[in-house]
Every structure is written in C-alpha cells, then in structure tokens.
Amino acid sequence: MLGQDKFIDIYNGSIKRQGSAELLEWLKKSDFFTAPASTKYHLDCKGGLVQHSINVYLRLKAQADLLFKDKYSNETLAIVFLLHDLCKVNFYKESTRNVKNEVTGQWEKLPCYTVDEKYKFGGHGSKSVYLIMLFMKLTPEEAAAINCHMGAYDRPANDYQVSGTFENNPLALMLSVADQYASFIDEREVEQ
C-alpha cells in the first residue's frame, strides 16, 4: 500500500513526541489505512482517508515552511496535517445502494460506504483531538487547529469561536484551507 508506506515515512520522520509510537500502532490496528475519506464527497474509496491525510500534508507543508519558517516545527505541521481526521477511524462501513441504470432502466446494487458511528463524541474536530490525546499531548495551538479545521462545516462549533481561532492561530487557518483545497480540488481532479 503506497499510501500507508508514505504516511508512515512522513509520520516517523517528523513525529517523535511521547506516545506517538503507540498512536501509530493503534492506527495500524484500526481501519485508518483502508477507510474512505468520505461517503461521497471526496476519496470515497478504499484507502481514501490515508490519501487525504497525505494530500493535506503535502498541500501546505512547503507553504507553511515559507510563511512560518521559525514559528512551527516539522513535528507540529505533521501532527496537525496528518492527524486532523482521526475522527473517521472506524467510522464507515461498506454497504450497497440502489441506482437505476440509465441504459436498461433496471435497478442495480452498487457498492458504497455509509456512516456507522460507533463512538459518538460530538464535533468532527473535537473527536480527532480527543483520539490523538489518548496517546500523546497536543499544544493548545495544535488542538485548536485540529478542532476548528472544518470551519463552519462543523456545526457544534460556533462561528465566532472558529473565526476567533483563525484570527489568532495561523496554523488553524492553514489546516482548514489545506483540508478544503485537498477535498474540493486535488481529490476531485483525481476522481474525474
């Protein structure tokens, strides 16, 4: 699996924080490397989640190095960009849906993914922060960036909290932009 190997190379090359080895082992035992990134919006395919995580990392890593050369360590960037969507671990299940064949007019069962939330925690970002912190500590800035990365799309967060976080935490804004850029541009181009 290319996605898994690339992710592990970036992870091991950048993240050395206490508990990071245990977090990686947990990821290997979970469906992180085989899960989709979504049910239908982007990379709704086997391995989509790990590929999305890599895409977000690659999308802004170079720009972050230029814009904030001495502000953020490689470790912080790797943690925030690679682990922002841990909330999707063990979140999807394979299923089928009925689709009408436009040529024959017959209904056909097509494979798809559906949400099968086993651990209801609340907001998208807050669940990712919680899962990471089961294994290793995050700085307040890292936690805020991951927590607010969905911006207005994560309804449990209020808009004033998100905009205030973006104003005071460039890392949070960068993560949100990278996540959306990867989801709506990079990964849609791949699917077409």
Side-chain angles (χ1 to χ4, degrees):
M1 276 201 261
L2 293 175
Q4 180 173 345
D5 293 342
K6 187 169 185 82
F7 179 93
I8 291 172
D9 284 346
I10 296 168
Y11 188 101
N12 285 333
S14 300
I15 303 175
K16 307 295 185 197
R17 197 167 294 177
Q18 183 176 351
S20 62
E22 292 81 1
L23 175 54
L24 183 58
E25 285 308 307
W26 178 76
L27 290 174
K28 288 177 182 177
K29 292 175 185 172
S30 75
D31 70 349
F32 179 78
F33 294 105
T34 58
S38 71
T39 57
K40 62 184 174 186
Y41 302 105
H42 63 106
L43 293 180
D44 55 339
C45 58
K46 187 175 183 176
L49 180 55
V50 69
Q51 188 57 55
H52 171 72
S53 300
I54 293 166
N55 291 347
V56 170
Y57 175 84
L58 295 176
R59 171 53 48 199
L60 275 184
K61 174 64 171 78
Q63 290 176 351
D65 286 344
L66 287 173
L67 293 171
F68 304 104
K69 185 176 181 160
D70 297 322
K71 186 166 175 76
Y72 302 114
S73 67
N74 285 333
E75 181 175 59
T76 287
L77 296 175
I79 288 170
V80 169
F81 293 157
L82 288 177
L83 303 176
H84 72 281
D85 268 347
L86 286 198
C87 59
K88 296 179 180 181
V89 170
N90 301 323
F91 183 71
Y92 298 110
K93 71 175 181 178
E94 292 183 24
S95 188
T96 59
R97 63 185 167 98
N98 292 324
V99 176
K100 194 170 192 175
N101 183 312
E102 292 181 21
V103 176
T104 65
Q106 299 294 312
W107 287 95
E108 301 174 350
K109 284 192 182 286
L110 293 181
C112 69
Y113 289 97
T114 58
V115 171
D116 184 25
E117 178 68 82
K118 292 172 186 68
Y119 182 70
K120 293 167 179 53
F121 188 79
H124 184 92
S126 59
K127 182 178 171 187
S128 292
V129 168
Y130 175 76
L131 290 171
I132 295 166
M133 291 185 72
L134 288 174
F135 298 93
M136 65 184 188
K137 290 184 178 180
L138 294 174
T139 68
E141 197 166 17
E142 292 165 350
I146 294 167
N147 188 52
C148 292
H149 82 270
M150 292 293 291
Y153 293 109
D154 195 5
R155 293 316 321 156
N158 102 20
D159 295 335
Y160 295 109
Q161 290 171 326
V162 173
S163 63
T165 299
F166 287 170
E167 286 174 20
N168 296 299
N169 184 343
L171 185 62
L173 180 59
M174 280 192 309
L175 175 58
S176 183
V177 169
D179 186 46
Q180 290 184 43
Y181 199 104
S183 299
F184 292 107
I185 297 174
D186 294 338
E187 294 161 8
R188 295 257 171 105
E189 290 173 359
V190 168
E191 291 177 352
Q192 294 175 4

